[in-house]
């Protein structure tokens, strides 16, 4: 299985049309069709469902697409790591970041580092802690900006100075929106939307205390924006991180007693790193 063929496959999966994909790839349609047929024969599966106007991925095709994307990303990342010479620091630094206030702190560090090393390029992947850690383990990301509590026993890390504060997202026209802050007893009869990660959900449950036993949980949400949309549509009250974002029809009310969590910038312990990664680690330390 060649990287070139995987790139062909991904282009066809994106375009859902062999003719358009062949045009983008600057190869003939018969050549592309033959490469795809050879790939299916090599894997022993059918990757596409073909019709007269478009082609769609089968379940095996969807499985290959995910793996192929990771393989191609890793190849590109590996190539970029060696774009250094003795005089300059260049290449790529890749970060996985949750939606956190400490992103401001990290961005300031990146801005300063970029001023000193303008040949370095940055990739920022947004996702949940589990998604980010999975990509770090696979070598697709160098660094992970993670909300605590989180298991980082196999990582080196620095703790960010920014404290992540929590709030309740409520409908802007509700009675709760008129309050300056919300305590657990204010939510005792409410339907809630909670964070999906287990360790973080425990933090919220501890804050709710005895009221947690009788709370109705309508949904979990792993990113604040989706929770805010659900709140606006009347699904419930979302307990989430307090960010600088504003959502139409939704009010963010501070919690009392306040919930504050830390965050860490982490990287895998004991792995060889590119010169750009090593220099950035030295800088942030």
């Amino acid at each position: 299985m060649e990287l070139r063929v995987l790139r062909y496959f991904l282009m066809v999966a994106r375009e859902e049309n062999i003719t358009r994909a062949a045009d983008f790839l600057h190869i003939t349609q018969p050549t592309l069709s033959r490469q795809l047929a050879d790939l299916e024969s090599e894997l022993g599966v059918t990757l596409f469902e073909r019709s007269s106007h478009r082609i769609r991925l089968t379940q095996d095709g969807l499985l290959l697409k995910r793996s192929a994307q990771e393989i191609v990303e890793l190849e590109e990342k590996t190539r970029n790591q060696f774009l250094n010479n003795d005089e300059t620091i260049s290449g790529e630094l890749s970060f996985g970041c949750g939606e956190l206030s400490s992103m401001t702190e990290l961005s300031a560090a990146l801005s300063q580092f970029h001023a000193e090393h303008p040949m370095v390029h940055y990739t920022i992947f947004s996702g949940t802690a589990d998604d980010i850690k999975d990509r770090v383990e696979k070598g697709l990301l160098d660094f992970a900006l993670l909300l605590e509590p989180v298991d980082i026993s196999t990582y080196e890390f620095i703790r960010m100075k920014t404290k992540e504060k929590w709030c309740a997202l409520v409908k802007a026209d509700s009675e709760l929106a008129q309050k300056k802050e919300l305590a657990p007893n204010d939510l005792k009869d409410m339907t809630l939307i909670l964070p999906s990660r287990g360790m973080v959900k425990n933090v919220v449950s501890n804050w709710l205390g005895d009221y947690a036993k009788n709370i109705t949980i309508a949904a979990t949400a792993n990113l604040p924006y989706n929770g805010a949309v659900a709140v606006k549509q009347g699904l419930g009250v979302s307990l989430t991180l307090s960010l600088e974002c504003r959502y139409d029809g939704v009010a963010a009310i501070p919690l009392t007693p306040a919930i504050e969590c830390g965050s860490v910038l982490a990287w895998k312990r004991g792995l060889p790193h590119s010169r750009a990664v090593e220099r950035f680690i030295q800088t942030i330390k």
Side-chain angles (χ1 to χ4, degrees), residues 98-132:
E99 293 186 340
L100 304 173
S101 296
S102 54
M103 185 62 194
T104 300
E105 189 178 337
L106 174 59
S107 297
L110 294 182
S111 178
Q112 179 179 347
F113 191 80
H114 185 65
E116 298 171 358
H117 306 288
M119 297 298 293
V120 176
H121 172 75
Y122 306 94
T123 297
I124 299 175
F125 171 83
S126 298
T128 65
D130 292 337
D131 293 336
I132 291 168

Side-chain angles (χ1 to χ4, degrees), residues 34-274:
R34 186 173 62 254
Q35 294 282 0
L36 295 177
D38 290 344
L39 180 60
E40 289 180 315
S41 177
E42 179 183 355
L43 296 176
V45 298
T46 299
L47 298 173
F48 297 99
E49 296 175 349
R50 295 166 172 84
S51 68
S52 57
H53 300 292
R54 62 187 299 189
I55 59 177
R56 295 181 177 178
L57 292 175
T58 63
Q59 286 300 314
D60 288 323
L62 291 170
L63 181 62
L64 178 61
K65 180 182 177 182
R66 178 177 179 180
S67 298
Q69 287 173 329
E70 291 181 350
I71 291 170
V72 169
E73 285 181 27
L74 186 57
E75 185 268 343
E76 292 175 349
K77 179 175 174 55
T78 302
R79 187 189 302 275
N80 289 333
Q81 286 178 342
F82 289 93
L83 294 178
N84 294 323
N85 57 45
D86 293 336
E87 289 76 33
T88 62
I89 299 294
S90 60
E92 179 184 86
L93 295 179
S94 54
F95 297 80
C97 306
E99 293 186 340
L100 304 173
S101 296
S102 54
M103 185 62 194
T104 300
E105 189 178 337
L106 174 59
S107 297
L110 294 182
S111 178
Q112 179 179 347
F113 191 80
H114 185 65
E116 298 171 358
H117 306 288
M119 297 298 293
V120 176
H121 172 75
Y122 306 94
T123 297
I124 299 175
F125 171 83
S126 298
T128 65
D130 292 337
D131 293 336
I132 291 168
K133 288 177 66 177
D134 181 61
R135 293 175 73 87
V136 171
E137 294 293 334
K138 292 177 178 177
L140 299 173
L141 294 173
D142 299 311
F143 298 94
L145 183 63
L146 303 170
L147 177 69
E148 294 183 302
V150 62
D151 181 10
I152 47 174
S153 57
T154 60
Y155 292 75
E156 291 186 59
F157 66 92
I158 63 165
R159 184 158 279 111
M160 308 300 282
K161 297 178 181 177
T162 305
K163 289 297 183 183
E164 307 292 340
K165 298 181 180 180
W166 286 74
C167 69
L169 298 182
V170 303
K171 292 190 70 172
D173 58 0
S174 68
E175 292 183 6
L176 292 179
Q178 307 308 312
K179 293 180 175 289
K180 293 184 177 180
E181 54 189 16
L182 293 175
N185 66 305
D186 293 315
L187 304 176
K188 61 184 179 181
D189 298 321
M190 298 293 163
T191 300
L192 300 185
I193 303 167
L194 298 184
S196 56
R197 186 155 63 91
M199 287 185 178
V200 177
K201 190 186 297 183
N202 289 340
V203 171
V204 175
S205 295
N206 290 338
W207 177 81
L208 288 168
D210 292 337
Y211 296 104
K213 301 175 183 178
N214 301 316
I215 287 292
T216 299
I217 300 174
T220 60
N222 55 18
L223 293 174
Y225 174 76
N226 291 334
V229 172
V231 169
K232 184 177 180 179
Q233 298 304 317
L235 183 59
V237 173
S238 178
L239 298 184
T240 187
L241 294 176
S242 180
L243 303 173
E244 294 182 359
C245 305
R246 297 293 179 267
Y247 312 106
D248 290 339
V250 175
I253 311 300
L255 302 180
T256 183
I259 303 178
E260 290 190 352
C261 298
S263 60
V264 295
L265 183 66
W267 58 94
K268 283 293 289 184
R269 180 184 299 128
L271 291 183
H273 298 296
S274 68

